[in-house]
Amino acid sequence: MPREVEEPRLLERNPRYDKAGKLTHKGTWIINYRGKQTSTGCSFSTNEEAKVAKEAALLKLHEFNVERYSKVEITDGLLTSEVKIGDLLLYYLQEQEDDISKMPKARRKEHLDQIERLSAFWGDKYVSEIKRKTSKEYQKDRKPSVVRNELIALRAIVNFCSKEGKVKIYDRELNYAIPKPLTSRLHHFTEKEVRKLYQVAMWKRHTFNGMPTHKVAEHIGKFIAVAVLTGTRAERIGTASFVKEPGRPWVDLENGIFYRAAEGEMVPHNKQADPILVPDPLLRLMKRWHHGRGAMKGTRYLIEYQGRPVDCRKGFYTLKNEVFGEERATEVNRHTLKHTCVTLLLQNGVSVEDVADYVSTTPAIIRKVYKHVIPGEHSAVHQVFAKKPKVGSTTRRERNKAA
């Protein structure tokens, strides 16, 4: 299928003001394609709003491209030397449009960004060119962890199209040369560190003319509490709601259940998000967050800042650098909170099976990753080395001296 040289792109239209400095027209992001401009509906009036609007506009751009290629047809049964990878990427976007639209916003953006990068390098290449040499070219000067995820995504897309009959692939015909996974960086917070992080976040205030004003990190404190007490992934906590909404995880406060995946969501097999019963102490806090108490207003979303759900990645990064020294701060991140949850449960005698079920993974993964903190995991080995010498036995030094 012939490809057009010009690709659609985003343009920023700045806000407009009258002579008195009053805002007359909000700024907006538009899609420019072949000289025609299409509104995304993503408007803004401040720099902060512009960043949020741009993220939404990028998703609109992806949707625009999917619609533009909605009539893509690939003849069934073609060989790998006859099908371009770019056509398979577009076919995948077209066929999986509904499932992709149901993904949480952060996950959807990440997935579509992966496809965009794959298309930039692989789009004009034929499927038969997925070889070790080409893959190494794609990996050059890039982070192994990032490129690994992208190549795994490419393999999944090509296999999907193969099952749909759009390309014939013979055994061992393709070589993605996917980098090996990096060694897990398994750190966890101590209970003292968790308390300190939480307290600093809950009491941190904005200052004006040297005087403290409103709280600015309370939402990060809530995130810390939920992550440590439920072992849930950051992106699911950040998108969860106290009110059932399409496409969002939600907390059923009445029954005390945290539905960590949205209804009908396509969840990756290695990132399962099964519902759990919320521990009583956390459930009491959640009810207070939602309904409000005294001067504290209630919230609609689990992690909410200025009335909207937020991803507190940058805020947590700032917080950990304030609380810890440079060396410790580089060792930990938001995912460390999940490791902390698992570690604390295992150290307090909870069975591997129960922990695996609680954090939505498998017992095999728990044993592989956390075996060094499971009580009694190597008890038989330790008993051998801890045995006392038999009665009448002597040391080598004593035997040599006697000789």
Side-chain angles (χ1 to χ4, degrees):
M1 184 185 75
R3 264 188 178 71
E4 298 139 353
V5 176
E6 183 189 354
E7 290 294 321
R9 66 184 187 278
L10 283 179
L11 293 179
E12 182 180 6
R13 182 176 291 166
N14 293 324
R16 285 182 282 174
Y17 303 86
D18 60 18
K19 292 181 180 180
K22 184 179 179 181
L23 178 70
T24 58
H25 297 80
K26 283 190 173 184
T28 187
W29 290 96
I30 57 177
I31 298 173
N32 186 56
Y33 177 56
R34 289 186 168 182
K36 182 180 178 182
Q37 295 183 347
T38 305
S39 174
T40 62
C42 304
S43 58
F44 58 91
S45 55
T46 65
N47 290 335
E48 189 65 29
E49 289 179 358
K51 295 176 183 177
V52 177
K54 185 177 182 180
E55 290 184 5
L58 285 170
L59 293 178
K60 293 288 185 181
L61 179 61
H62 288 302
E63 292 169 1
F64 181 87
N65 283 323
V66 171
E67 185 177 352
R68 186 163 62 96
Y69 285 105
S70 60
K71 296 182 180 179
V72 169
E73 292 185 6
I74 307 174
T75 305
D76 289 351
L78 293 177
L79 300 175
T80 56
S81 58
E82 300 172 315
V83 181
K84 285 193 173 183
I85 296 173
D87 292 337
L88 294 186
L89 293 174
L90 293 169
Y91 176 79
Y92 167 80
L93 287 173
Q94 174 188 329
E95 293 297 308
Q96 296 292 321
E97 183 178 4
D98 290 341
D99 288 335
I100 292 174
S101 66
K102 293 177 183 177
M103 292 179 178
K105 184 178 178 180
R107 171 62 187 145
R108 183 166 75 249
K109 184 179 183 302
E110 177 189 0
H111 186 56
L112 293 174
D113 284 346
Q114 282 182 338
I115 293 175
E116 192 173 285
R117 290 191 291 270
L118 289 169
S119 180
F121 179 87
W122 297 95
D124 284 321
K125 291 179 170 57
Y126 289 94
V127 178
S128 58
E129 295 182 71
I130 301 178
K131 303 294 183 184
R132 180 182 177 280
K133 182 179 179 181
T134 321
S135 180
K136 291 297 182 182
E137 289 176 10
Y138 181 65
Q139 299 174 38
K140 188 177 180 181
D141 299 327
R142 300 192 61 205
K143 289 180 66 174
S145 58
V146 175
V147 78
R148 170 181 164 80
N149 290 335
E150 291 173 3
L151 288 172
I152 290 174
L154 175 63
R155 182 177 62 186
I157 290 170
V158 172
N159 288 342
F160 168 81
C161 294
S162 175
K163 290 178 181 178
E164 292 286 301
K166 299 304 176 184
V167 60
K168 283 186 176 179
I169 301 176
Y170 297 99
D171 289 345
R172 301 183 181 180
E173 181 180 4
L174 307 179
N175 183 359
Y176 295 87
I178 298 173
K180 293 182 179 179
L182 299 176
T183 304
S184 298
R185 187 177 66 169
L186 188 61
H187 294 281
H188 70 274
F189 293 110
T190 64
E191 292 185 50
K192 184 178 179 180
E193 287 176 327
V194 171
R195 282 196 298 270
K196 190 171 182 180
L197 276 172
Y198 179 77
Q199 290 168 356
V200 171
M202 296 301 286
W203 290 101
K204 186 177 180 181
R205 292 179 179 270
H206 174 71
T207 56
F208 181 73
N209 289 336
M211 296 295 292
T213 57
H214 59 283
K215 293 182 179 180
V216 293
E218 198 172 28
H219 61 292
I220 303 175
K222 294 176 181 179
F223 168 80
I224 292 168
V226 176
V228 171
L229 294 176
T230 69
T232 305
R233 292 181 177 274
E235 63 272 15
R236 300 201 168 275
I237 299 174
T239 55
S241 173
F242 289 122
V243 180
K244 192 173 183 180
E245 294 183 17
R248 288 188 182 277
W250 76 290
V251 183
D252 179 357
L253 292 175
E254 184 177 347
N255 296 300
I257 302 174
F258 184 5
Y259 293 93
R260 295 186 283 195
E263 189 172 348
E265 179 186 349
M266 180 180 65
V267 181
H269 73 280
N270 61 332
K271 294 184 179 180
Q272 292 300 301
D274 300 326
I276 57 166
L277 282 172
V278 180
D280 287 340
L282 180 60
L283 184 60
R284 288 193 292 271
L285 283 175
M286 286 180 169
K287 288 180 178 179
R288 189 184 307 169
W289 299 341
H290 178 51
H291 299 298
R293 185 176 180 180
M296 186 177 72
K297 294 181 179 179
T299 62
R300 180 183 181 89
Y301 300 103
L302 184 55
I303 310 300
E304 180 177 302
Y305 185 71
Q306 295 183 347
R308 58 185 177 84
V310 291
D311 178 346
C312 55
R313 177 182 300 174
K314 291 182 180 178
F316 185 84
Y317 178 85
T318 302
L319 180 70
K320 72 171 186 175
N321 281 282
E322 288 180 5
V323 173
F324 305 122
E326 182 179 351
E327 183 179 350
R328 180 57 171 162
T330 58
E331 293 177 340
V332 297
N333 53 32
R334 292 188 304 168
H335 197 64
T336 307
L337 296 167
K338 179 175 181 178
H339 291 317
T340 302
C341 174
V342 175
T343 301
L344 290 176
L345 291 175
L346 291 172
Q347 288 179 338
N348 282 277
V350 182
S351 71
V352 171
E353 289 71 20
D354 286 343
V355 173
D357 186 55
Y358 188 67
V359 298
S360 206
T361 187
T362 64
I365 292 295
I366 294 294
R367 288 194 173 92
K368 179 181 178 181
V369 178
Y370 300 94
K371 59 186 177 184
H372 60 290
V373 297
I374 302 175
E377 181 69 5
H378 301 289
S379 57
V381 175
H382 295 155
Q383 287 173 13
V384 170
F385 289 119
K387 283 182 177 179
K388 295 180 179 180
K390 294 179 180 180
V391 176
S393 63
T394 57
T395 64
R396 180 183 297 179
R397 183 177 180 180
E398 290 172 340
R399 290 195 298 271
N400 290 338
K401 189 176 180 180

